[in-house]
PDB file of all heavy atoms in Angstrom:
ATOM      1  N   ILE A   1    -175.156  12.002-171.017  1.00 97.00           N
ATOM      2  CA  ILE A   1    -176.367  12.649-170.500  1.00 97.00           C
ATOM      3  C   ILE A   1    -176.315  12.704-168.978  1.00 97.00           C
ATOM      4  O   ILE A   1    -176.672  13.715-168.362  1.00 97.00           O
ATOM      5  CB  ILE A   1    -177.615  11.886-170.983  1.00 97.00           C
ATOM      6  CG1 ILE A   1    -177.784  12.081-172.497  1.00 97.00           C
ATOM      7  CG2 ILE A   1    -178.868  12.337-170.235  1.00 97.00           C
ATOM      8  CD1 ILE A   1    -178.837  11.197-173.116  1.00 97.00           C
ATOM      9  N   ALA A   2    -175.850  11.616-168.350  1.00 98.00           N
ATOM     10  CA  ALA A   2    -175.735  11.575-166.890  1.00 98.00           C
ATOM     11  C   ALA A   2    -174.726  12.594-166.383  1.00 98.00           C
ATOM     12  O   ALA A   2    -174.963  13.277-165.381  1.00 98.00           O
ATOM     13  CB  ALA A   2    -175.357  10.171-166.438  1.00 98.00           C
ATOM     14  N   VAL A   3    -173.605  12.718-167.072  1.00 97.00           N
ATOM     15  CA  VAL A   3    -172.579  13.697-166.676  1.00 97.00           C
ATOM     16  C   VAL A   3    -173.131  15.113-166.778  1.00 97.00           C
ATOM     17  O   VAL A   3    -172.947  15.941-165.882  1.00 97.00           O
ATOM     18  CB  VAL A   3    -171.313  13.547-167.552  1.00 97.00           C
ATOM     19  CG1 VAL A   3    -170.377  14.734-167.347  1.00 97.00           C
ATOM     20  CG2 VAL A   3    -170.590  12.254-167.222  1.00 97.00           C
ATOM     21  N   SER A   4    -173.817  15.407-167.869  1.00 96.00           N
ATOM     22  CA  SER A   4    -174.402  16.735-168.055  1.00 96.00           C
ATOM     23  C   SER A   4    -175.410  17.043-166.953  1.00 96.00           C
ATOM     24  O   SER A   4    -175.435  18.160-166.411  1.00 96.00           O
ATOM     25  CB  SER A   4    -175.077  16.806-169.428  1.00 96.00           C
ATOM     26  OG  SER A   4    -175.699  18.060-169.620  1.00 96.00           O
ATOM     27  N   ALA A   5    -176.247  16.062-166.599  1.00 97.00           N
ATOM     28  CA  ALA A   5    -177.245  16.263-165.544  1.00 97.00           C
ATOM     29  C   ALA A   5    -176.584  16.438-164.188  1.00 97.00           C
ATOM     30  O   ALA A   5    -177.038  17.226-163.359  1.00 97.00           O
ATOM     31  CB  ALA A   5    -178.210  15.080-165.512  1.00 97.00           C
ATOM     32  N   MET A   6    -175.503  15.700-163.950  1.00 97.00           N
ATOM     33  CA  MET A   6    -174.763  15.835-162.695  1.00 97.00           C
ATOM     34  C   MET A   6    -174.200  17.252-162.557  1.00 97.00           C
ATOM     35  O   MET A   6    -174.306  17.874-161.490  1.00 97.00           O
ATOM     36  CB  MET A   6    -173.618  14.814-162.649  1.00 97.00           C
ATOM     37  CG  MET A   6    -172.730  14.923-161.411  1.00 97.00           C
ATOM     38  SD  MET A   6    -171.296  13.797-161.448  1.00 97.00           S
ATOM     39  CE  MET A   6    -170.361  14.483-162.834  1.00 97.00           C
ATOM     40  N   LYS A   7    -173.627  17.765-163.616  1.00 95.00           N
ATOM     41  CA  LYS A   7    -173.057  19.109-163.590  1.00 95.00           C
ATOM     42  C   LYS A   7    -174.153  20.166-163.421  1.00 95.00           C
ATOM     43  O   LYS A   7    -174.013  21.104-162.649  1.00 95.00           O
ATOM     44  CB  LYS A   7    -172.265  19.359-164.876  1.00 95.00           C
ATOM     45  CG  LYS A   7    -171.001  18.513-164.985  1.00 95.00           C
ATOM     46  CD  LYS A   7    -170.432  18.505-166.396  1.00 95.00           C
ATOM     47  CE  LYS A   7    -170.040  19.864-166.891  1.00 95.00           C
ATOM     48  NZ  LYS A   7    -169.421  19.806-168.244  1.00 95.00           N
ATOM     49  N   GLN A   8    -175.257  20.002-164.150  1.00 95.00           N
ATOM     50  CA  GLN A   8    -176.337  20.984-164.103  1.00 95.00           C
ATOM     51  C   GLN A   8    -176.934  21.092-162.708  1.00 95.00           C
ATOM     52  O   GLN A   8    -177.298  22.181-162.253  1.00 95.00           O
ATOM     53  CB  GLN A   8    -177.415  20.605-165.121  1.00 95.00           C
ATOM     54  CG  GLN A   8    -178.493  21.653-165.340  1.00 95.00           C
ATOM     55  CD  GLN A   8    -179.583  21.596-164.287  1.00 95.00           C
ATOM     56  OE1 GLN A   8    -179.889  20.536-163.757  1.00 95.00           O
ATOM     57  NE2 GLN A   8    -180.160  22.749-163.950  1.00 95.00           N
ATOM     58  N   SER A   9    -177.031  19.959-162.018  1.00 96.00           N
ATOM     59  CA  SER A   9    -177.668  19.937-160.702  1.00 96.00           C
ATOM     60  C   SER A   9    -176.657  20.037-159.558  1.00 96.00           C
ATOM     61  O   SER A   9    -177.028  19.910-158.395  1.00 96.00           O
ATOM     62  CB  SER A   9    -178.505  18.661-160.543  1.00 96.00           C
ATOM     63  OG  SER A   9    -177.712  17.510-160.763  1.00 96.00           O
ATOM     64  N   VAL A  10    -175.381  20.268-159.913  1.00 96.00           N
ATOM     65  CA  VAL A  10    -174.292  20.412-158.935  1.00 96.00           C
ATOM     66  C   VAL A  10    -174.246  19.201-157.995  1.00 96.00           C
ATOM     67  O   VAL A  10    -174.284  19.317-156.778  1.00 96.00           O
ATOM     68  CB  VAL A  10    -174.400  21.728-158.123  1.00 96.00           C
ATOM     69  CG1 VAL A  10    -173.073  22.010-157.404  1.00 96.00           C
ATOM     70  CG2 VAL A  10    -174.771  22.900-159.007  1.00 96.00           C
ATOM     71  N   LYS A  11    -174.178  18.038-158.596  1.00 96.00           N
ATOM     72  CA  LYS A  11    -173.989  16.801-157.857  1.00 96.00           C
ATOM     73  C   LYS A  11    -172.510  16.413-157.952  1.00 96.00           C
ATOM     74  O   LYS A  11    -171.842  16.705-158.941  1.00 96.00           O
ATOM     75  CB  LYS A  11    -174.852  15.681-158.437  1.00 96.00           C
ATOM     76  CG  LYS A  11    -176.356  15.896-158.293  1.00 96.00           C
ATOM     77  CD  LYS A  11    -176.810  15.622-156.873  1.00 96.00           C
ATOM     78  CE  LYS A  11    -178.328  15.581-156.770  1.00 96.00           C
ATOM     79  NZ  LYS A  11    -178.993  16.847-157.109  1.00 96.00           N
ATOM     80  N   ALA A  12    -172.013  15.720-156.938  1.00 97.00           N
ATOM     81  CA  ALA A  12    -170.623  15.274-156.967  1.00 97.00           C
ATOM     82  C   ALA A  12    -170.508  13.775-157.233  1.00 97.00           C
ATOM     83  O   ALA A  12    -169.407  13.265-157.405  1.00 97.00           O
ATOM     84  CB  ALA A  12    -169.936  15.619-155.648  1.00 97.00           C
ATOM     85  N   TYR A  13    -171.646  13.091-157.249  1.00 97.00           N
ATOM     86  CA  TYR A  13    -171.646  11.649-157.490  1.00 97.00           C
ATOM     87  C   TYR A  13    -172.255  11.341-158.854  1.00 97.00           C
ATOM     88  O   TYR A  13    -173.374  11.751-159.147  1.00 97.00           O
ATOM     89  CB  TYR A  13    -172.452  10.923-156.406  1.00 97.00           C
ATOM     90  CG  TYR A  13    -171.798  10.904-155.050  1.00 97.00           C
ATOM     91  CD1 TYR A  13    -172.126  11.868-154.097  1.00 97.00           C
ATOM     92  CD2 TYR A  13    -170.856   9.928-154.720  1.00 97.00           C
ATOM     93  CE1 TYR A  13    -171.527  11.858-152.836  1.00 97.00           C
ATOM     94  CE2 TYR A  13    -170.252   9.910-153.468  1.00 97.00           C
ATOM     95  CZ  TYR A  13    -170.599  10.866-152.526  1.00 97.00           C
ATOM     96  OH  TYR A  13    -169.997  10.861-151.282  1.00 97.00           O
ATOM     97  N   LEU A  14    -171.503  10.606-159.663  1.00 98.00           N
ATOM     98  CA  LEU A  14    -172.019  10.128-160.942  1.00 98.00           C
ATOM     99  C   LEU A  14    -172.508   8.698-160.724  1.00 98.00           C
ATOM    100  O   LEU A  14    -171.751   7.843-160.258  1.00 98.00           O
ATOM    101  CB  LEU A  14    -170.929  10.139-162.011  1.00 98.00           C
ATOM    102  CG  LEU A  14    -171.349   9.690-163.413  1.00 98.00           C
ATOM    103  CD1 LEU A  14    -172.326  10.692-164.014  1.00 98.00           C
ATOM    104  CD2 LEU A  14    -170.128   9.532-164.308  1.00 98.00           C
ATOM    105  N   PRO A  15    -173.769   8.406-161.027  1.00 98.00           N
ATOM    106  CA  PRO A  15    -174.276   7.054-160.767  1.00 98.00           C
ATOM    107  C   PRO A  15    -173.568   6.001-161.612  1.00 98.00           C
ATOM    108  O   PRO A  15    -173.111   6.279-162.722  1.00 98.00           O
ATOM    109  CB  PRO A  15    -175.762   7.159-161.129  1.00 98.00           C
ATOM    110  CG  PRO A  15    -175.844   8.308-162.071  1.00 98.00           C
ATOM    111  CD  PRO A  15    -174.807   9.283-161.611  1.00 98.00           C
ATOM    112  N   THR A  16    -173.491   4.805-161.082  1.00 97.00           N
ATOM    113  CA  THR A  16    -172.968   3.671-161.835  1.00 97.00           C
ATOM    114  C   THR A  16    -174.013   3.250-162.858  1.00 97.00           C
ATOM    115  O   THR A  16    -175.177   3.039-162.515  1.00 97.00           O
ATOM    116  CB  THR A  16    -172.663   2.490-160.898  1.00 97.00           C
ATOM    117  OG1 THR A  16    -171.715   2.908-159.918  1.00 97.00           O
ATOM    118  CG2 THR A  16    -172.104   1.315-161.672  1.00 97.00           C
ATOM    119  N   LEU A  17    -173.597   3.140-164.112  1.00 98.00           N
ATOM    120  CA  LEU A  17    -174.507   2.766-165.196  1.00 98.00           C
ATOM    121  C   LEU A  17    -174.100   1.391-165.722  1.00 98.00           C
ATOM    122  O   LEU A  17    -172.978   1.205-166.199  1.00 98.00           O
ATOM    123  CB  LEU A  17    -174.451   3.797-166.323  1.00 98.00           C
ATOM    124  CG  LEU A  17    -174.819   5.237-165.949  1.00 98.00           C
ATOM    125  CD1 LEU A  17    -174.558   6.171-167.130  1.00 98.00           C
ATOM    126  CD2 LEU A  17    -176.274   5.323-165.514  1.00 98.00           C
ATOM    127  N   HIS A  18    -175.010   0.433-165.628  1.00 97.00           N
ATOM    128  CA  HIS A  18    -174.725  -0.919-166.085  1.00 97.00           C
ATOM    129  C   HIS A  18    -175.333  -1.149-167.464  1.00 97.00           C
ATOM    130  O   HIS A  18    -176.434  -0.659-167.760  1.00 97.00           O
ATOM    131  CB  HIS A  18    -175.301  -1.936-165.102  1.00 97.00           C
ATOM    132  CG  HIS A  18    -174.719  -1.846-163.726  1.00 97.00           C
ATOM    133  ND1 HIS A  18    -173.456  -2.311-163.416  1.00 97.00           N
ATOM    134  CD2 HIS A  18    -175.217  -1.320-162.576  1.00 97.00           C
ATOM    135  CE1 HIS A  18    -173.208  -2.101-162.127  1.00 97.00           C
ATOM    136  NE2 HIS A  18    -174.264  -1.488-161.606  1.00 97.00           N
ATOM    137  N   PRO A  19    -174.681  -1.926-168.311  1.00 94.00           N
ATOM    138  CA  PRO A  19    -175.235  -2.222-169.648  1.00 94.00           C
ATOM    139  C   PRO A  19    -176.430  -3.150-169.550  1.00 94.00           C
ATOM    140  O   PRO A  19    -176.824  -3.583-168.462  1.00 94.00           O
ATOM    141  CB  PRO A  19    -174.052  -2.908-170.353  1.00 94.00           C
ATOM    142  CG  PRO A  19    -173.282  -3.551-169.235  1.00 94.00           C
ATOM    143  CD  PRO A  19    -173.384  -2.584-168.081  1.00 94.00           C
ATOM    144  N   LEU A  20    -177.014  -3.446-170.705  1.00 96.00           N
ATOM    145  CA  LEU A  20    -178.148  -4.364-170.746  1.00 96.00           C
ATOM    146  C   LEU A  20    -177.785  -5.685-170.064  1.00 96.00           C
ATOM    147  O   LEU A  20    -176.772  -6.305-170.391  1.00 96.00           O
ATOM    148  CB  LEU A  20    -178.564  -4.629-172.189  1.00 96.00           C
ATOM    149  CG  LEU A  20    -179.619  -3.701-172.794  1.00 96.00           C
ATOM    150  CD1 LEU A  20    -179.855  -4.069-174.248  1.00 96.00           C
ATOM    151  CD2 LEU A  20    -180.921  -3.754-172.020  1.00 96.00           C
ATOM    152  N   THR A  21    -178.614  -6.076-169.115  1.00 97.00           N
ATOM    153  CA  THR A  21    -178.369  -7.276-168.322  1.00 97.00           C
ATOM    154  C   THR A  21    -179.590  -8.176-168.371  1.00 97.00           C
ATOM    155  O   THR A  21    -180.721  -7.708-168.199  1.00 97.00           O
ATOM    156  CB  THR A  21    -178.088  -6.890-166.851  1.00 97.00           C
ATOM    157  OG1 THR A  21    -176.986  -5.976-166.800  1.00 97.00           O
ATOM    158  CG2 THR A  21    -177.771  -8.119-166.014  1.00 97.00           C
ATOM    159  N   ARG A  22    -179.379  -9.444-168.629  1.00 97.00           N
ATOM    160  CA  ARG A  22    -180.500 -10.385-168.643  1.00 97.00           C
ATOM    161  C   ARG A  22    -181.184 -10.394-167.283  1.00 97.00           C
ATOM    162  O   ARG A  22    -180.538 -10.407-166.242  1.00 97.00           O
ATOM    163  CB  ARG A  22    -180.019 -11.785-169.003  1.00 97.00           C
ATOM    164  CG  ARG A  22    -179.585 -11.938-170.450  1.00 97.00           C
ATOM    165  CD  ARG A  22    -179.107 -13.361-170.749  1.00 97.00           C
ATOM    166  NE  ARG A  22    -180.189 -14.343-170.582  1.00 97.00           N
ATOM    167  CZ  ARG A  22    -180.233 -15.231-169.599  1.00 97.00           C
ATOM    168  NH1 ARG A  22    -179.281 -15.272-168.662  1.00 97.00           N
ATOM    169  NH2 ARG A  22    -181.234 -16.095-169.534  1.00 97.00           N
ATOM    170  N   TYR A  23    -182.491 -10.358-167.313  1.00 97.00           N
ATOM    171  CA  TYR A  23    -183.285 -10.283-166.080  1.00 97.00           C
ATOM    172  C   TYR A  23    -182.910 -11.396-165.104  1.00 97.00           C
ATOM    173  O   TYR A  23    -182.678 -11.142-163.912  1.00 97.00           O
ATOM    174  CB  TYR A  23    -184.767 -10.365-166.445  1.00 97.00           C
ATOM    175  CG  TYR A  23    -185.720 -10.295-165.277  1.00 97.00           C
ATOM    176  CD1 TYR A  23    -186.007  -9.079-164.666  1.00 97.00           C
ATOM    177  CD2 TYR A  23    -186.354 -11.448-164.804  1.00 97.00           C
ATOM    178  CE1 TYR A  23    -186.901  -9.005-163.593  1.00 97.00           C
ATOM    179  CE2 TYR A  23    -187.246 -11.379-163.743  1.00 97.00           C
ATOM    180  CZ  TYR A  23    -187.508 -10.163-163.143  1.00 97.00           C
ATOM    181  OH  TYR A  23    -188.383 -10.106-162.086  1.00 97.00           O
ATOM    182  N   ALA A  24    -182.823 -12.611-165.586  1.00 97.00           N
ATOM    183  CA  ALA A  24    -182.493 -13.746-164.715  1.00 97.00           C
ATOM    184  C   ALA A  24    -181.108 -13.581-164.105  1.00 97.00           C
ATOM    185  O   ALA A  24    -180.887 -13.927-162.941  1.00 97.00           O
ATOM    186  CB  ALA A  24    -182.583 -15.052-165.502  1.00 97.00           C
ATOM    187  N   ASP A  25    -180.169 -13.047-164.889  1.00 97.00           N
ATOM    188  CA  ASP A  25    -178.816 -12.832-164.370  1.00 97.00           C
ATOM    189  C   ASP A  25    -178.813 -11.779-163.277  1.00 97.00           C
ATOM    190  O   ASP A  25    -178.092 -11.899-162.281  1.00 97.00           O
ATOM    191  CB  ASP A  25    -177.874 -12.403-165.507  1.00 97.00           C
ATOM    192  CG  ASP A  25    -177.641 -13.522-166.511  1.00 97.00           C
ATOM    193  OD1 ASP A  25    -177.862 -14.698-166.155  1.00 97.00           O
ATOM    194  OD2 ASP A  25    -177.240 -13.210-167.649  1.00 97.00           O
ATOM    195  N   PHE A  26    -179.628 -10.750-163.463  1.00 97.00           N
ATOM    196  CA  PHE A  26    -179.682  -9.695-162.448  1.00 97.00           C
ATOM    197  C   PHE A  26    -180.218 -10.235-161.128  1.00 97.00           C
ATOM    198  O   PHE A  26    -179.714  -9.900-160.051  1.00 97.00           O
ATOM    199  CB  PHE A  26    -180.555  -8.534-162.931  1.00 97.00           C
ATOM    200  CG  PHE A  26    -180.614  -7.382-161.961  1.00 97.00           C
ATOM    201  CD1 PHE A  26    -179.586  -6.456-161.906  1.00 97.00           C
ATOM    202  CD2 PHE A  26    -181.686  -7.243-161.085  1.00 97.00           C
ATOM    203  CE1 PHE A  26    -179.618  -5.404-160.997  1.00 97.00           C
ATOM    204  CE2 PHE A  26    -181.729  -6.199-160.179  1.00 97.00           C
ATOM    205  CZ  PHE A  26    -180.690  -5.282-160.136  1.00 97.00           C
ATOM    206  N   LEU A  27    -181.241 -11.063-161.194  1.00 97.00           N
ATOM    207  CA  LEU A  27    -181.825 -11.612-159.973  1.00 97.00           C
ATOM    208  C   LEU A  27    -180.843 -12.496-159.208  1.00 97.00           C
ATOM    209  O   LEU A  27    -180.975 -12.665-157.995  1.00 97.00           O
ATOM    210  CB  LEU A  27    -183.084 -12.427-160.310  1.00 97.00           C
ATOM    211  CG  LEU A  27    -184.284 -11.647-160.850  1.00 97.00           C
ATOM    212  CD1 LEU A  27    -185.458 -12.595-161.058  1.00 97.00           C
ATOM    213  CD2 LEU A  27    -184.682 -10.503-159.929  1.00 97.00           C
ATOM    214  N   GLN A  28    -179.857 -13.031-159.902  1.00 96.00           N
ATOM    215  CA  GLN A  28    -178.883 -13.913-159.260  1.00 96.00           C
ATOM    216  C   GLN A  28    -177.735 -13.154-158.601  1.00 96.00           C
ATOM    217  O   GLN A  28    -176.906 -13.761-157.913  1.00 96.00           O
ATOM    218  CB  GLN A  28    -178.326 -14.903-160.288  1.00 96.00           C
ATOM    219  CG  GLN A  28    -179.350 -15.914-160.790  1.00 96.00           C
ATOM    220  CD  GLN A  28    -178.803 -16.812-161.875  1.00 96.00           C
ATOM    221  OE1 GLN A  28    -177.622 -16.758-162.220  1.00 96.00           O
ATOM    222  NE2 GLN A  28    -179.667 -17.647-162.436  1.00 96.00           N
ATOM    223  N   GLN A  29    -177.678 -11.843-158.807  1.00 93.00           N
ATOM    224  CA  GLN A  29    -176.598 -11.062-158.209  1.00 93.00           C
ATOM    225  C   GLN A  29    -176.770 -11.010-156.695  1.00 93.00           C
ATOM    226  O   GLN A  29    -177.886 -11.107-156.179  1.00 93.00           O
ATOM    227  CB  GLN A  29    -176.583  -9.649-158.795  1.00 93.00           C
ATOM    228  CG  GLN A  29    -176.224  -9.608-160.278  1.00 93.00           C
ATOM    229  CD  GLN A  29    -176.241  -8.219-160.849  1.00 93.00           C
ATOM    230  OE1 GLN A  29    -176.419  -7.234-160.140  1.00 93.00           O
ATOM    231  NE2 GLN A  29    -176.049  -8.112-162.151  1.00 93.00           N
ATOM    232  N   PRO A  30    -175.678 -10.857-155.947  1.00 90.00           N
ATOM    233  CA  PRO A  30    -175.745 -10.802-154.483  1.00 90.00           C
ATOM    234  C   PRO A  30    -176.734  -9.741-154.009  1.00 90.00           C
ATOM    235  O   PRO A  30    -176.755  -8.624-154.529  1.00 90.00           O
ATOM    236  CB  PRO A  30    -174.306 -10.451-154.076  1.00 90.00           C
ATOM    237  CG  PRO A  30    -173.469 -10.960-155.201  1.00 90.00           C
ATOM    238  CD  PRO A  30    -174.281 -10.746-156.436  1.00 90.00           C
ATOM    239  N   ALA A  31    -177.555 -10.099-153.048  1.00 82.00           N
ATOM    240  CA  ALA A  31    -178.615  -9.209-152.564  1.00 82.00           C
ATOM    241  C   ALA A  31    -178.103  -8.285-151.472  1.00 82.00           C
ATOM    242  O   ALA A  31    -177.360  -8.701-150.590  1.00 82.00           O
ATOM    243  CB  ALA A  31    -179.779 -10.033-152.032  1.00 82.00           C
ATOM    244  N   THR A  32    -178.492  -7.017-151.552  1.00 88.00           N
ATOM    245  CA  THR A  32    -178.183  -6.044-150.509  1.00 88.00           C
ATOM    246  C   THR A  32    -179.402  -5.167-150.277  1.00 88.00           C
ATOM    247  O   THR A  32    -180.123  -4.827-151.211  1.00 88.00           O
ATOM    248  CB  THR A  32    -176.982  -5.149-150.897  1.00 88.00           C
ATOM    249  OG1 THR A  32    -177.283  -4.479-152.136  1.00 88.00           O
ATOM    250  CG2 THR A  32    -175.713  -5.960-151.066  1.00 88.00           C
ATOM    251  N   GLY A  33    -179.626  -4.803-149.031  1.00 95.00           N
ATOM    252  CA  GLY A  33    -180.680  -3.859-148.705  1.00 95.00           C
ATOM    253  C   GLY A  33    -182.086  -4.367-148.971  1.00 95.00           C
ATOM    254  O   GLY A  33    -182.350  -5.567-148.990  1.00 95.00           O
ATOM    255  N   GLN A  34    -182.990  -3.414-149.190  1.00 96.00           N
ATOM    256  CA  GLN A  34    -184.400  -3.714-149.413  1.00 96.00           C
ATOM    257  C   GLN A  34    -184.689  -3.713-150.920  1.00 96.00           C
ATOM    258  O   GLN A  34    -184.279  -2.797-151.635  1.00 96.00           O
ATOM    259  CB  GLN A  34    -185.279  -2.697-148.696  1.00 96.00           C
ATOM    260  CG  GLN A  34    -185.025  -2.651-147.188  1.00 96.00           C
ATOM    261  CD  GLN A  34    -185.882  -1.620-146.483  1.00 96.00           C
ATOM    262  OE1 GLN A  34    -187.066  -1.509-146.737  1.00 96.00           O
ATOM    263  NE2 GLN A  34    -185.267  -0.866-145.575  1.00 96.00           N
ATOM    264  N   ARG A  35    -185.433  -4.734-151.374  1.00 97.00           N
ATOM    265  CA  ARG A  35    -185.633  -4.936-152.814  1.00 97.00           C
ATOM    266  C   ARG A  35    -187.120  -5.041-153.139  1.00 97.00           C
ATOM    267  O   ARG A  35    -187.872  -5.713-152.429  1.00 97.00           O
ATOM    268  CB  ARG A  35    -184.897  -6.208-153.264  1.00 97.00           C
ATOM    269  CG  ARG A  35    -183.375  -6.099-153.125  1.00 97.00           C
ATOM    270  CD  ARG A  35    -182.717  -7.458-153.261  1.00 97.00           C
ATOM    271  NE  ARG A  35    -183.074  -8.337-152.160  1.00 97.00           N
ATOM    272  CZ  ARG A  35    -183.104  -9.667-152.225  1.00 97.00           C
ATOM    273  NH1 ARG A  35    -182.849 -10.269-153.368  1.00 97.00           N
ATOM    274  NH2 ARG A  35    -183.421 -10.389-151.166  1.00 97.00           N
ATOM    275  N   PHE A  36    -187.502  -4.367-154.224  1.00 98.00           N
ATOM    276  CA  PHE A  36    -188.911  -4.313-154.602  1.00 98.00           C
ATOM    277  C   PHE A  36    -189.068  -4.525-156.103  1.00 98.00           C
ATOM    278  O   PHE A  36    -188.175  -4.209-156.891  1.00 98.00           O
ATOM    279  CB  PHE A  36    -189.515  -2.958-154.237  1.00 98.00           C
ATOM    280  CG  PHE A  36    -189.369  -2.597-152.785  1.00 98.00           C
ATOM    281  CD1 PHE A  36    -188.354  -1.759-152.361  1.00 98.00           C
ATOM    282  CD2 PHE A  36    -190.246  -3.103-151.827  1.00 98.00           C
ATOM    283  CE1 PHE A  36    -188.211  -1.414-151.021  1.00 98.00           C
ATOM    284  CE2 PHE A  36    -190.114  -2.777-150.491  1.00 98.00           C
ATOM    285  CZ  PHE A  36    -189.095  -1.931-150.081  1.00 98.00           C
ATOM    286  N   ILE A  37    -190.227  -5.033-156.478  1.00 97.00           N
ATOM    287  CA  ILE A  37    -190.597  -5.120-157.890  1.00 97.00           C
ATOM    288  C   ILE A  37    -191.948  -4.438-158.059  1.00 97.00           C
ATOM    289  O   ILE A  37    -192.926  -4.772-157.381  1.00 97.00           O
ATOM    290  CB  ILE A  37    -190.645  -6.578-158.406  1.00 97.00           C
ATOM    291  CG1 ILE A  37    -191.125  -6.595-159.866  1.00 97.00           C
ATOM    292  CG2 ILE A  37    -191.490  -7.483-157.509  1.00 97.00           C
ATOM    293  CD1 ILE A  37    -190.990  -7.953-160.542  1.00 97.00           C
ATOM    294  N   ALA A  38    -191.998  -3.452-158.945  1.00 97.00           N
ATOM    295  CA  ALA A  38    -193.250  -2.747-159.245  1.00 97.00           C
ATOM    296  C   ALA A  38    -193.842  -3.386-160.506  1.00 97.00           C
ATOM    297  O   ALA A  38    -193.230  -3.346-161.570  1.00 97.00           O
ATOM    298  CB  ALA A  38    -192.979  -1.265-159.459  1.00 97.00           C
ATOM    299  N   HIS A  39    -195.003  -3.977-160.365  1.00 93.00           N
ATOM    300  CA  HIS A  39    -195.603  -4.659-161.514  1.00 93.00           C
ATOM    301  C   HIS A  39    -197.121  -4.466-161.502  1.00 93.00           C
ATOM    302  O   HIS A  39    -197.707  -3.966-160.537  1.00 93.00           O
ATOM    303  CB  HIS A  39    -195.254  -6.147-161.493  1.00 93.00           C
ATOM    304  CG  HIS A  39    -195.928  -6.913-160.391  1.00 93.00           C
ATOM    305  ND1 HIS A  39    -197.213  -7.411-160.492  1.00 93.00           N
ATOM    306  CD2 HIS A  39    -195.499  -7.272-159.145  1.00 93.00           C
ATOM    307  CE1 HIS A  39    -197.541  -8.041-159.389  1.00 93.00           C
ATOM    308  NE2 HIS A  39    -196.520  -7.966-158.535  1.00 93.00           N
ATOM    309  N   LEU A  40    -197.764  -4.904-162.602  1.00 88.00           N
ATOM    310  CA  LEU A  40    -199.203  -4.726-162.754  1.00 88.00           C
ATOM    311  C   LEU A  40    -199.922  -6.053-162.962  1.00 88.00           C
ATOM    312  O   LEU A  40    -201.077  -6.077-163.407  1.00 88.00           O
ATOM    313  CB  LEU A  40    -199.492  -3.800-163.950  1.00 88.00           C
ATOM    314  CG  LEU A  40    -198.955  -2.371-163.840  1.00 88.00           C
ATOM    315  CD1 LEU A  40    -199.112  -1.646-165.173  1.00 88.00           C
ATOM    316  CD2 LEU A  40    -199.668  -1.607-162.739  1.00 88.00           C
ATOM    317  N   VAL A  41    -199.260  -7.163-162.672  1.00 84.00           N
ATOM    318  CA  VAL A  41    -199.868  -8.478-162.878  1.00 84.00           C
ATOM    319  C   VAL A  41    -201.086  -8.643-161.966  1.00 84.00           C
ATOM    320  O   VAL A  41    -201.001  -8.435-160.749  1.00 84.00           O
ATOM    321  CB  VAL A  41    -198.848  -9.606-162.613  1.00 84.00           C
ATOM    322  CG1 VAL A  41    -199.524 -10.975-162.744  1.00 84.00           C
ATOM    323  CG2 VAL A  41    -197.693  -9.493-163.602  1.00 84.00           C
TER     324      VAL A  41
END
């Protein structure tokens, strides 16, 4: 689906797609740039 959308919109970059990742594991990954969490708590 991503490849089809890339071709349709004439993009040259295909985004990196990561598989299901445990939330806690994701938070432990090396931090880069500005990071946000959108929540309704």
Side-chain angles (χ1 to χ4, degrees):
I1 291 170
V3 168
S4 178
M6 177 185 66
K7 292 165 61 177
Q8 189 278 329
S9 56
V10 195
K11 294 284 190 297
Y13 289 95
L14 181 67
T16 301
L17 301 173
H18 298 285
L20 270 177
T21 304
R22 290 180 63 250
Y23 180 77
D25 292 339
F26 182 80
L27 293 183
Q28 292 176 5
Q29 294 179 6
T32 58
Q34 302 179 45
R35 295 167 294 153
F36 304 98
I37 176 170
H39 70 84
L40 297 171
V41 176

